[in-house]
Amino acid sequence: AAAAGAPMAGPRGAGRSFSSSFVPPKPMETTTKTAREIFEEVMANPARKRFGFGSRLAVVNVDVQKAYTSGEFATSYMTDPKQVDYINELSQLARNKGLPVVWTHVAYMDDGSDAGVWGTRTNTPDSLQNIKFNSRRSEFDDRLQIDCVRDPIYTKKMPSCFHETPLQSLLVWHRVDTVVLTGGSTSGCIRASAVDSLSRGYRTVVPMECVADKHESFHYANLTDLSLKYADVIPVAEVLAHLRALPDAGA
């Protein structure tokens, strides 16, 4: 064995040596607090930094469809009872300002092969790959106010709204630099979309009342992580105020 302080062998160790005074990394923190309590502490921190809004935003509403919003299905969930109302309000304000509003939903072929490996863990009527085209589970929530003439609608197959959809091209065309994400689930498609959004260079905003999940632990743990790393998690009132302050389209 090499002596302490001896140069490392091989190309990766060329010119470097181990220190005999290795400092181990800090152990993982533990807590008795709930995920919600941790989230509230993070949100209350006055030193919390933000990415902020850029010069032009798009509202991207992710999978606000009956599989997840209608109580007739076991896969449905609700966090804020006014979620859909807020999504409609945000979307209409964005349209009034000449900004793009995008809707995504998931739907799959009869054999589910377009779900890939994601659709292989289970095969029940509630399984992801069994959200079939033209089924009730694939339909958008009836409460949504979608402008089918102006609003792009994309079918996606994977968690991120960017994955193999035209979303990136649309945002480039509209010179968007900020993406506002709504929908669900917080721990699934919202998180994946937020990470992809940041990775593509977009300021990313998650209005907390506009996203939902099946369990509060999943919801708040992921909001905490998004806030600390990938997105501005802020009250919907702040996003609405920002939109209202923008000039109307054509003004």
Side-chain angles (χ1 to χ4, degrees):
M8 293 175 61
R12 294 185 63 191
R16 293 192 299 164
S17 62
F18 284 120
S19 169
S20 59
S21 57
F22 170 70
V23 179
K26 295 179 180 178
M28 183 176 69
E29 295 181 22
T30 60
T31 183
T32 57
K33 298 173 183 175
T34 66
R36 184 170 188 165
E37 288 171 337
I38 295 171
F39 171 70
E40 289 171 348
E41 284 185 0
V42 168
M43 295 298 292
N45 181 359
R48 185 170 62 99
K49 303 296 184 182
R50 293 187 181 181
F51 298 109
F53 290 98
S55 59
R56 188 169 171 81
L57 67 77
V59 175
V60 181
N61 303 305
V62 180
D63 303 353
V64 192
Q65 62 191 88
K66 290 176 182 175
Y68 307 121
T69 64
S70 175
E72 67 192 283
F73 299 115
T75 49
S76 66
Y77 46 76
M78 178 180 69
T79 300
D80 191 307
K82 295 184 67 178
Q83 179 192 17
V84 172
D85 295 334
Y86 289 133
I87 290 172
N88 284 332
E89 188 175 3
L90 276 177
S91 299
Q92 188 55 54
L93 262 176
R95 288 189 204 99
N96 293 346
K97 307 300 181 177
L99 301 171
V101 175
V102 181
W103 305 86
T104 75
H105 69 136
V106 292
Y108 299 96
M109 300 187 303
D110 284 345
D111 67 359
S113 60
D114 49 343
V117 70
W118 201 22
T120 61
R121 279 182 148 182
T122 64
N123 188 22
T124 72
D126 300 324
S127 296
L128 175 81
Q129 73 275 17
N130 289 324
I131 301 177
K132 304 301 186 186
F133 283 110
N134 302 315
S135 68
R136 279 189 62 76
R137 293 181 78 207
S138 73
E139 294 175 1
F140 286 108
D141 190 302
D142 292 331
R143 297 169 294 172
L144 294 173
Q145 297 167 6
I146 301 175
D147 187 330
C148 294
V149 174
R150 297 174 58 185
D151 298 351
I153 298 173
Y154 299 143
T155 302
K156 68 182 185 66
K157 307 294 182 177
M158 295 295 157
S160 172
C161 58
F162 287 91
H163 185 76
E164 296 182 355
T165 73
L167 179 59
Q168 174 82 19
S169 296
L170 181 90
L171 299 180
V172 170
W173 172 251
H174 285 283
R175 299 180 179 179
V176 165
D177 62 3
T178 304
V179 173
V180 177
L181 292 171
T182 81
S185 67
T186 312
S187 60
C189 296
I190 295 298
R191 180 189 176 91
S193 297
V195 173
D196 266 6
S197 177
L198 176 82
S199 299
R200 285 165 167 76
Y202 295 104
R203 299 169 185 264
T204 306
V205 178
V206 179
M208 65 182 75
E209 298 92 342
C210 294
V211 294
D213 214 313
K214 203 168 186 68
H215 193 286
E216 74 167 13
S217 290
F218 312 151
H219 177 71
Y220 287 110
N222 279 275
L223 285 182
T224 298
D225 204 47
L226 287 170
S227 178
L228 290 173
K229 299 174 183 174
Y230 307 115
D232 290 343
V233 178
I234 60 178
V236 65
E238 291 189 27
V239 187
L240 291 169
H242 174 78
L243 282 168
R244 292 188 184 108
L246 298 176
D248 288 338

